[in-house]
Amino acid sequence: MTEKTYREALTDALFLEMRRDENVFVLGEDVVGGTGSPHAEPGFVGGVFGVTGGLHEEFGLERCIDMPISEAGIAGTAAGAALAGKRPVAEIMFCDFMGLCLDQLMNQAAKFRYMFGGKATCPMVLRTTYGAGMNAASQHSQSLHPLVTAIPGLKVAMPSTPADAKGLLSTAIRDDDPVIFFEHKTLYTITGDVPDGEHLVPFGKARMVSEGDDCTLVATGRMVSFCENAAQALADDGITCDIIDPRTTSPLDEDAILDSVEKTGRLVVVDETPPRCSFASDIAALAAGEVFSSLKAPIKQITGPHSPVPFAKELESEFVPSPTKIRDAVAEVVNFK
Amino acid sequence: MQLAREELEQAYKQMKTIREFEEHLHREIMTGSIPGFTHLYAGQEAVAVGVCENLTEADYITSTHRGHGHCIAKGCDVIGMMKELYGKADGLCKGKGGSMHVADMDVGMLGANGIVGGGPPLATGAALAAKLDGKGSVAVSFGGDGSCNQGPVFESMNIAAILKLPSIYVYENNRYSEHTHCDYVIASESIASRVEGFGIHTVKANGFDFFEVHEVMKELIAKAREGNGPCAVEFETTRFYGHFEGDPQDYRAPDELKDDRENNDCITIFKDKVTEAGLLSDDDINKLDEEVNSLIEESVDQAKKSPLPSPEDVTTDVYVSY
Ligand SMILES: Cc1ncc(C[n+]2csc(CCOP(=O)(O)OP(=O)(O)O)c2C)c(N)n1
Ligand SMILES: [Mg+2]
């Protein structure tokens, strides 16, 4: 184990996987930085969030490819290379820009295997950042995991810790299906113990963040630590929670969620997207459909409002679910009569 | 140089307002009072002003992430803009948009844009609306060198060409998109030569010189107004600050910025030209500078005093009637 940041853990996974398999390569805007520059040696960016830093020194510019601002081209190049046997790891700087490459993801990469009768694989990873918290306004703050989770054929990972960041990215790269990999932009600097060497976290296997009796909290990414915060405050009042981080929204560890809800009888789902057709509503529907008779209180969904993400600090912090809102929701379902 | 005195004064004042607006932000961002991502337009003023001085409020523009200059040049209220950047309730977009989304429909400013390449399709649509209205309005899209590699930008130019729309695609080539040099990501000889391939009349011009920008645009805009279809321009220009504040700019040549500031400062070039030709005196310039400075001071003062948005504003304006 070594203490690493979330960012370092991701970089670690890329180094190991690129060493292990020469079919793995990275591409994206400024993933190296300065390729073809008349004035500088390439390598001074390493991705705008610093995740691909240093890779080109070991693997060269052939496997670390700076791309033009052409998101559709980047996603399509990755999909096509994957179809032809490579394992590209494309970076799309903000998931909001997936708007430009959605055709390549939802009509192409997601569908090959099925449409071609199981004869094709598309082992690409599309790494992207998501989430509010930087006052980056409506086109740089969205959480679009529900959008891609809804598309059969795409797998979706959302690490909440440095160890999971490494383990899930390694698994994503080895997976033969297209994976959309969501990194929360406020998590890059968090630290945690990360296993050295090969570390694989299987898809579809939730992480039990904490265990309790009174309520089940389900959350991913940044919202996991918000739930932990809320749970600590609740523990002072004698309320204890299961906190479940599904790690991947597709495939989804339904059993972990349902077993927990059967035990606690209460469910609060937390996500920082708008509420409609969301991850939260999906989990709520799952529990309502499968373990209805165990429920002692209505299911609560703590999400952002039905609005884009606003710019001003005061508005943005109102948009994002807070530990206080989560705590109040748990208290409400626990006290439900 | 056949501009009337008032036109020269107006042009100078606009360029200087943009410069001082950005210089203020440059200082203020360090203090942390400007939230979010802010990209400064300082250095490129001659392009925005040279273009927009040929437009009226009935014409449209679309802009970019580096949009403050376009907004000011098109006539957005400077005080409202400053309030917006401070995230205030009475900002031009009520604190919802911030730097990357300043917009004002009343003056034909269809928005700065956080999506590189987001503007040209919208300008194409505005040009279609203008054509259908038949009143001679035009639409101009501003875009950086980096934006010319986006598919939707290609599609829009082709659509404009086949429909003969009154749209003008302005590319501000400041040599870099983020940290990447334009020569690496643009395979054609120039942006202009590529755009020619869409069957669009395209000009390459010096964006450091207000007068050249103004003259080139005057002709192109007049043609577009007369129904001759779209055209495009690639302006050579430079940005005086990093891609974002705090960008160390390691990707520039050692003396590049110094050289640009000394020899390619569009405001100095303008000043030298008009004073040498005796069109405006140093006193005239000083007076305009004072006006600009007090406007910027006033805007900052008001922005700092303005009320913060309140939490319930988050869900307003999602739909026309929420
Ligand atoms: C679709 C999209 N991709 C990437 C980005 C991130 N980004 C913001 S500005 C920028 C560079 C733009 O370069 P250019 O068009 O030359 O404009 P300049 O910054 O030089 O004004 C990039 C890559 C974005 N905002 N939108
Ligand atoms: Mg540029």
Side-chain angles (χ1 to χ4, degrees):
Chain A
M1 290 277 191
T2 307
E3 178 157 309
K4 284 197 166 85
T5 61
Y6 187 89
R7 172 189 290 124
E8 289 164 347
L10 292 163
T11 310
D12 193 15
L14 288 170
F15 266 105
L16 292 175
E17 292 308 307
M18 288 179 78
R19 266 178 216 149
R20 191 182 152 268
D21 181 353
E22 61 184 27
N23 284 320
V24 180
F25 68 96
V26 300
L27 70 163
E29 293 158 21
D30 281 326
V31 290
V32 178
T35 303
S37 165
H39 312 305
E41 284 300 308
F44 49 79
V45 185
V48 167
F49 290 93
V51 175
T52 50
L55 292 172
H56 78 287
E57 285 166 16
E58 184 170 336
F59 306 107
L61 295 176
E62 292 219 320
R63 290 173 69 194
C64 301
I65 308 174
D66 275 337
M67 295 292 270
I69 309 175
S70 306
E71 280 78 8
I74 294 169
T77 302
L83 203 52
K86 296 291 173 192
R87 294 189 175 269
V89 182
E91 177 172 302
I92 296 293
M93 208 179 287
F94 291 81
C95 75
D96 313 70
F97 310 162
M98 282 195 320
L100 289 144
C101 48
L102 212 45
D103 175 63
Q104 297 301 324
L105 300 180
M106 75 176 191
N107 291 325
Q108 313 299 339
K111 309 271 196 289
F112 293 146
R113 187 167 179 73
Y114 191 82
M115 293 189 304
F116 302 163
K119 283 185 284 190
T121 57
C122 186
M124 67 175 279
V125 178
L126 187 138
R127 291 182 38 247
T128 191
T129 68
Y130 78 104
M134 296 178 82
N135 307 111
S138 300
Q139 295 174 341
H140 286 73
S141 305
Q142 294 174 87
S143 298
L144 296 173
H145 50 284
L147 196 71
V148 280
T149 301
I151 297 169
L154 297 180
K155 290 180 177 169
V156 182
M158 310 185 67
S160 65
T161 66
D164 276 3
K166 175 174 175 177
L168 290 170
L169 184 55
S170 305
T171 302
I173 294 170
R174 294 189 199 183
D175 199 291
D176 282 340
D177 291 311
V179 178
I180 315 296
F181 195 90
F182 284 91
E183 300 164 13
H184 199 290
K185 47 178 106 70
T186 66
L187 294 184
Y188 282 119
T189 50
I190 64 162
T191 54
D193 280 341
V194 178
D196 299 319
E198 178 173 282
H199 173 52
L200 295 164
V201 170
F203 280 12
K205 189 93 196 67
R207 179 169 74 97
M208 201 58 151
V209 180
S210 74
E211 291 191 44
D213 302 318
D214 305 310
C215 183
T216 300
L217 279 162
V218 178
T220 59
R222 185 189 191 199
M223 291 300 115
V224 174
S225 69
F226 281 31
C227 288
E228 287 181 274
N229 263 333
Q232 264 155 25
L234 288 158
D236 295 341
D237 301 331
I239 298 172
T240 61
C241 299
D242 268 1
I243 302 177
I244 296 177
D245 170 6
R247 288 174 161 149
T248 53
T249 56
S250 183
L252 178 68
D253 189 348
E254 300 187 353
D255 290 344
I257 296 166
L258 296 174
D259 289 350
S260 170
V261 177
E262 281 192 307
K263 179 182 80 176
T264 64
R266 301 179 185 92
L267 174 62
V268 175
V269 195
V270 183
D271 200 19
E272 64 169 291
T273 65
R276 302 285 315 280
C277 300
S278 65
F279 170 71
S281 61
D282 187 57
I283 302 297
L286 171 75
E290 301 291 326
V291 292
F292 182 74
S293 55
S294 313
L295 288 170
K296 299 174 196 158
I299 298 166
K300 279 245 145 204
Q301 302 174 45
I302 301 300
T303 66
H306 188 63
S307 79
V309 183
F311 164 68
K313 281 184 181 160
E314 297 68 29
L315 298 178
E316 192 194 55
S317 49
E318 177 66 16
F319 179 96
V320 180
S322 63
T324 315
K325 279 185 201 160
I326 300 168
R327 194 189 62 201
D328 292 350
V330 173
E332 193 183 322
V333 296
V334 169
N335 293 322
F336 180 81
K337 299 232 168 52
Chain B
M1 225 189 285
Q2 286 158 338
L3 291 170
R5 185 186 169 83
E6 305 78 67
E7 290 175 306
L8 292 172
E9 286 182 343
Q10 166 72 4
Y12 178 76
K13 208 171 143 182
Q14 289 288 68
M15 291 201 287
K16 190 72 178 173
T17 304
I18 298 170
R19 177 69 54 89
E20 292 308 318
F21 191 92
E22 301 298 60
E23 293 295 354
H24 169 75
L25 291 174
H26 176 65
R27 292 186 298 268
E28 195 76 345
I29 285 166
M30 318 270 188
T31 71
S33 41
I34 307 289
F37 301 164
T38 316
H39 308 90
L40 302 182
Y41 191 73
Q44 305 185 194
E45 294 88 346
V47 179
V49 178
V51 171
C52 291
E53 285 306 301
N54 285 293
L55 302 175
T56 74
E57 283 191 355
D59 297 315
Y60 304 98
I61 68 165
T62 63
S63 167
T64 67
H65 59 286
R66 198 177 300 289
H68 308 161
H70 310 136
C71 299
I72 292 174
K74 190 68 174 61
C76 288
D77 174 39
V78 172
I79 297 175
M81 279 179 64
M82 194 65 88
K83 289 176 176 174
E84 184 61 26
L85 268 74
Y86 277 80
K88 295 304 179 77
D90 54 353
L92 207 51
C93 304
K94 300 182 188 164
K96 295 265 183 73
S99 168
M100 283 193 289
H101 307 294
V102 176
D104 189 351
M105 303 303 123
D106 292 344
V107 299
M109 200 294 156
L110 305 185
N113 211 309
I115 302 299
V116 171
L122 302 175
T124 305
L128 174 58
K131 185 179 175 185
L132 295 173
D133 284 343
K135 293 183 188 145
S137 290
V138 300
V140 177
S141 78
F142 288 95
D145 43 291
S147 74
C148 83
N149 291 318
Q150 286 286 30
V153 176
F154 294 4
E155 294 173 25
S156 324
M157 292 190 297
N158 184 54
I159 288 168
I162 64 165
L163 300 181
K164 276 200 151 201
L165 301 180
S167 47
I168 300 109
Y169 302 89
V170 170
Y171 293 95
E172 296 181 74
N173 188 344
N174 61 10
R175 309 175 199 129
Y176 302 96
S177 50
E178 288 201 345
H179 316 263
T180 297
H181 195 274
C182 57
D183 288 351
Y184 169 65
V185 281
I186 302 170
S188 53
E189 188 199 311
S190 64
I191 298 171
S193 66
R194 177 194 284 173
V195 174
E196 284 281 351
F198 286 90
I200 289 180
H201 172 54
T202 309
V203 179
K204 210 173 163 194
N206 172 0
F208 304 115
D209 179 5
F210 166 83
F211 295 100
E212 182 165 338
V213 177
H214 191 268
E215 219 165 284
V216 164
M217 290 306 295
K218 193 180 181 112
E219 196 187 315
L220 293 181
I221 289 171
K223 279 198 180 134
R225 282 198 205 290
E226 285 158 15
N228 295 302
C231 49
V233 202
E234 174 179 358
F235 287 114
E236 184 194 352
T237 182
T238 182
R239 59 166 151 79
F240 279 177
Y241 291 111
H243 173 64
F244 52 85
E245 286 305 280
D247 172 4
Q249 304 196 66
D250 303 334
Y251 47 84
R252 295 183 97 146
D255 288 328
E256 185 181 326
L257 253 181
K258 188 164 158 276
D259 184 59
D260 276 341
R261 283 182 178 270
E262 277 169 14
N263 303 310
N264 289 330
D265 182 335
C266 58
I267 295 186
T268 312
I269 293 171
F270 181 96
K271 252 194 305 205
D272 289 351
K273 280 200 173 177
V274 291
T275 48
E276 273 161 33
L279 297 168
L280 293 178
S281 67
D282 286 342
D283 276 354
D284 296 331
I285 297 277
N286 290 341
K287 230 179 84 210
L288 293 168
D289 284 348
E290 276 167 32
E291 281 177 39
V292 168
N293 289 338
S294 56
L295 173 64
I296 298 297
E297 269 171 39
E298 171 72 14
S299 71
V300 174
D301 198 43
Q302 286 204 33
K304 288 188 171 166
K305 283 192 209 134
S306 278
L308 295 169
S310 51
E312 56 279 13
D313 295 339
V314 172
T315 48
T316 59
D317 291 328
V318 177
Y319 301 112
V320 172
S321 58
Y322 192 79

